[in-house]
Amino acid sequence: MALIPGYEFDIFISYAHIDNAKFPGQTDGWIELFYKNLDLMLAKRFGRMDKIKFWWDNKKLDGSVMFNQSIESSIHKSAIMICLYSPGYVASGYCKQEIDTFYRKAQSDNIGLKVGDRTRILNVLLNNIPYNEWTPELKGTTGFPFYNAQDAMDFGETVDAATPEFRIQMQKLRDAVWIILNEFQKEQTSVSNIPVTKVGENKEAFTIYLGDVADSLRTPRKRVMTELEKKGYQIVTGIPPPEEATLHEKATNYALKKADLTVHLLDEYPGREIIGTPDICYPQKQVELALQSGKPQMVWVPSETKFDNIEDDKYKIFLQNLETSKTPSLDFEFVRGSKSSLAQQILDYAEQLKEQNTVNFTSNGKLSVLLDTHFKDHFYALGLRKTLIENQIRPFIIPQEDDPRENINLLRDRISQVRKLIFIYGRVSEEWLLARISAALQLIITNKYNIEDFIIYMVPPHKEYGSISLNQRIVNMNVIDSSNNEIAEKSTLDKFIMYLKTGSV
C-alpha cells in the first residue's frame, strides 16, 4: 500500500532508457543508482523500509514498443512524477506520452497539479537544458540540477552517482519529496473524509452529481433526487459543507470524479457565498469546476427567470455566458424549463448520454468522429451530434473560442480516439477554420495518428461551394454544404451519414 491514500504508487519515475545505459565495467546504470539512492534516503527519512512505493520501468522498453496500457494505468495510480530530463528524454515520444498522461490526469483529479505551492511533477535535470526548451508541463519551477556546468551556456555532464555532488543534490530532492508526500497525504485524507452524500449505492448505476443550490431551489432539488432515485440513478450530492475555498474546490472535484453527469440548478439568486472568496457563491463555483472536469453537464434555469432583474452583475454575466454557450465544455446543455418538468428533462438528457455510451461501436473505431467547432456554431454541432448518435456513430465535441490553437492537449487526446474530423464552418471566420485545421494537421504529423478524413461541414450563413481549399496531401479533404438552410435538409444529412459509414455517397 502506498503512503498516499487512494494511490497504488507514491512516485512514478519517468526516464529515457538511454540514460540508464551502462558504461563498460559498470554493474548498475545511472537511473538505477538514482532510484536505489532515493528509495533508501526516503526510507530513512520516513523511518521504515518500503514505506514509499515507486514505479519505474526496468524492462528496457524502447520507442518501438506501443505505449503500454499497464504503464498508463500505473501513471494514473501514481501520486507524483519525477522526470529525469535529458536530451534522451526530449527525443523520446514514449517519455512525452508519460508526462502528458500524468499532467492531464493530475489536472482532473481531486488534488490538482499542485500540493500547496509545490508541483506534483518534479524535474530532475541530467544536463543543462535551457528553460525555454523545457516541455510546458515542467515550466514554472527551477528543477533539480544533477549536472556539472561551468556557466549558463555549458551543456554540462551528469554528476557521477559516487560523488559528493550527487549526494548533496539527492538530499535536496529527498527533502522536497518528503514535504510533498506529507502535504499530499494530509490533503488527500482531509478531502477523502469530507462527507459526500450518495443516494443509492449501486456502483454500476449511472451516477449524477447534483450541485449546491440557492435556498429558493432546495425543494425542487429534493423532489428531483427522489424521482431520479426511483428510476435507478445514483446521486452524489452534499457539497458543500467546506466553507474554506481551497477545501471546497478539492471536495467538489473529488465528488465530480464519481459522476457520469453533473446537474446544476440556478435561478436569479446566486446562493451562499464562499467564505474568503468575495463575489462568488457555491452554485456558481461548482458549475465552473464541472466545466473544467470535462464531465457531461446540464445547467437548468426556470423558464420565467429574467437575467435583467438580477442585481449581482457578475452573476448575471455568468448566467448570460452559460446560455450563449461561451463555456469551455465538451458536452454541455443549458436548459430553461418548468419545475414540474425538471426531473423529466434530466432523465431525458441522462438517457441520451447512456445511449451514446452504449452504442455498438466497431472495434477499429471507424464509427467515432470528432466535431470541432467554434462556440459561434455550437448550436449546429449539438444538432449534428444528435443525428450521429441516432445513426450509431459516436461523436466527440470540442467547442473552442477565438484562439484556434487553444485546447491543443484536448484536441490531441480526442484525435487519438477517432478516424474522421468534422470541422463545423458557420459563423466563424475562414481564417479561424484554416488555422484550426492546420493545428490538427500538425498534431497528426507529430503523433502519427491514423486519420482518414477531414470533413468541412458548412452551415449557415450561405457560403459558395468550393470557397475553402487547403493545399495538403496528408488526409482526404471533403466538404458537405448545408449552409443554405437553418435546418439541414434530410437528403444532405443522409448523404453525410452514408459517407461517414461507407466512405462514399
Side-chain angles (χ1 to χ4, degrees):
M1 179 180 293
L3 174 74
I4 309 301
Y7 292 89
E8 188 172 329
F9 306 102
D10 297 297
I11 301 170
F12 184 102
I13 297 179
S14 178
Y15 72 99
H17 285 278
I18 186 64
D19 293 318
N20 198 38
K22 303 169 187 176
F23 286 103
Q26 286 186 324
T27 56
D28 291 326
W30 195 94
I31 305 297
E32 190 166 359
L33 290 171
F34 171 87
Y35 156 70
K36 288 180 177 179
N37 275 269
L38 184 58
D39 185 23
L40 181 58
M41 293 174 76
L42 284 171
K44 289 184 175 182
R45 187 67 179 85
F46 280 95
R48 207 180 85 194
M49 294 298 294
D50 298 324
K51 181 74 172 178
I52 305 303
K53 299 299 181 184
F54 285 83
W55 193 99
W56 74 293
D57 171 27
N58 59 359
K59 298 178 182 178
K60 301 183 180 179
L61 302 180
D62 58 34
S64 66
V65 182
M66 294 293 289
F67 189 58
N68 195 300
Q69 280 191 345
S70 66
I71 294 180
E72 183 173 8
S73 175
S74 298
I75 292 173
H76 281 273
K77 296 174 183 177
S78 299
I80 68 174
M81 173 178 277
I82 296 178
C83 296
L84 299 172
Y85 209 55
S86 67
Y89 196 98
V90 173
S92 171
Y94 208 88
C95 293
K96 181 181 179 182
Q97 282 187 283
E98 287 182 352
I99 191 171
D100 180 67
T101 300
F102 185 89
Y103 185 88
R104 287 187 286 113
K105 81 98 180 176
Q107 274 186 316
S108 62
D109 70 17
N110 57 301
I111 293 295
L113 282 166
K114 290 185 177 182
V115 180
D117 60 353
R118 293 175 181 267
T119 178
R120 290 171 60 186
I121 305 178
L122 287 79
N123 184 12
V124 170
L125 290 152
L126 304 191
N127 299 102
N128 186 20
I129 299 175
Y131 181 81
N132 59 5
E133 296 179 14
W134 293 9
T135 184
E137 292 87 352
L138 293 174
K139 291 186 176 179
T141 63
T142 57
F144 296 86
F146 274 69
Y147 59 83
N148 290 317
Q150 299 301 318
D151 53 50
M153 301 302 295
D154 185 5
F155 177 68
E157 291 294 329
T158 307
V159 296
D160 192 292
T163 62
E165 291 84 359
F166 177 85
R167 180 55 57 90
I168 290 170
Q169 288 305 112
M170 284 298 301
Q171 289 170 349
K172 292 179 180 178
L173 178 64
R174 174 206 61 193
D175 292 343
V177 172
W178 184 81
I179 292 171
I180 293 171
L181 291 178
N182 275 285
E183 291 300 315
F184 202 132
Q185 185 182 28
K186 293 175 184 176
E187 287 202 22
Q188 184 77 337
T189 301
S190 63
V191 171
S192 300
N193 288 337
I194 292 170
V196 176
T197 303
K198 290 184 181 180
V199 180
E201 289 295 335
N202 181 1
K203 293 182 179 180
E204 302 300 320
F206 190 94
T207 301
I208 298 175
Y209 171 86
L210 275 178
D212 192 50
V213 297
D215 290 342
S216 54
L217 291 172
R218 293 198 177 278
T219 299
R221 188 176 72 156
K222 287 181 180 179
R223 285 200 294 264
V224 164
M225 289 174 59
T226 301
E227 290 297 317
L228 294 176
E229 184 186 8
K230 287 180 180 178
K231 296 293 184 179
Y233 289 90
Q234 179 165 282
I235 311 301
V236 175
T237 185
I239 303 295
E243 295 182 337
E244 192 271 319
T246 302
L247 190 56
H248 167 253
E249 182 170 334
K250 293 183 184 299
T252 302
N253 286 330
Y254 180 73
L256 286 170
K257 286 179 64 178
K258 306 174 185 297
D260 299 298
L261 166 65
T262 80
V263 176
H264 306 267
L265 314 181
L266 307 175
D267 61 10
E268 64 266 34
Y269 304 106
R272 291 180 291 165
E273 187 176 278
I274 300 175
I275 295 176
T277 308
D279 303 324
I280 188 166
C281 299
Y282 288 115
Q284 177 178 339
K285 184 63 177 178
Q286 290 178 18
V287 171
E288 293 171 349
L289 292 172
L291 287 168
Q292 294 170 15
S293 74
K295 297 282 188 177
Q297 184 174 15
M298 176 179 175
V299 174
W300 178 91
V301 173
S303 54
E304 66 272 14
T305 301
K306 295 182 179 179
F307 294 163
D308 290 341
N309 296 335
I310 297 175
E311 297 180 358
D312 187 321
D313 289 336
K314 290 184 179 179
Y315 181 64
K316 179 195 301 186
I317 293 171
F318 168 72
L319 287 178
Q320 289 172 336
N321 286 340
L322 288 175
E323 186 164 34
T324 55
S325 295
K326 294 178 180 177
T327 51
S329 175
L330 286 176
D331 205 338
F332 172 81
E333 293 285 346
F334 186 94
V335 177
R336 282 183 176 271
S338 66
K339 294 176 183 178
S340 60
S341 62
L342 172 56
Q344 189 59 51
Q345 288 174 317
I346 296 173
L347 286 168
D348 289 344
Y349 188 40
E351 289 299 318
Q352 178 184 328
L353 291 172
K354 288 168 66 176
E355 179 184 359
Q356 178 175 329
N357 291 336
T358 56
V359 168
N360 184 25
F361 303 118
T362 58
S363 60
N364 61 12
K366 287 186 177 180
L367 289 181
S368 292
V369 301
L370 175 63
L371 298 178
D372 197 63
T373 178
H374 191 280
F375 281 122
K376 293 178 181 177
D377 301 316
H378 195 40
F379 170 80
Y380 295 104
L382 292 174
L384 184 56
R385 180 192 65 179
K386 185 175 184 297
T387 300
L388 293 172
I389 292 173
E390 290 171 350
N391 285 273
Q392 304 294 292
I393 298 173
R394 183 179 187 178
F396 296 101
I397 295 183
I398 298 183
Q400 181 60 308
E401 297 207 49
D402 291 330
D403 185 348
R405 293 191 175 272
E406 287 291 332
N407 269 356
I408 289 299
N409 284 342
L410 186 56
L411 180 61
R412 178 173 61 241
D413 180 58
R414 290 308 189 199
I415 289 178
S416 69
Q417 301 177 57
V418 302
R419 295 294 180 90
K420 299 178 188 291
L421 271 68
I422 303 169
F423 300 89
I424 308 297
Y425 180 28
R427 295 183 177 86
V428 71
S429 69
E430 179 179 336
E431 290 76 15
W432 186 94
L433 176 70
L434 293 177
R436 189 65 171 168
I437 292 173
S438 177
L441 282 171
Q442 187 59 49
L443 289 174
I444 292 169
I445 294 170
T446 302
N447 297 282
K448 298 180 181 179
Y449 291 134
N450 186 20
I451 299 298
E452 298 173 347
D453 290 289
F454 276 7
I455 302 165
I456 299 174
Y457 193 89
M458 298 199 302
V459 298
H462 170 73
K463 298 166 187 66
E464 293 296 329
Y465 187 84
S467 61
I468 285 288
S469 63
L470 190 67
N471 295 323
Q472 57 83 33
R473 298 181 179 179
I474 300 169
V475 297
N476 294 326
M477 181 71 69
N478 296 280
V479 177
I480 303 294
D481 188 2
S482 187
S483 67
N484 294 318
N485 300 287
E486 285 295 326
I487 299 177
E489 295 179 349
K490 185 178 186 301
S491 59
T492 302
L493 284 173
D494 288 344
K495 290 179 181 179
F496 179 50
I497 297 300
M498 178 67 71
Y499 175 76
L500 290 178
K501 289 186 173 183
T502 67
S504 61
V505 178

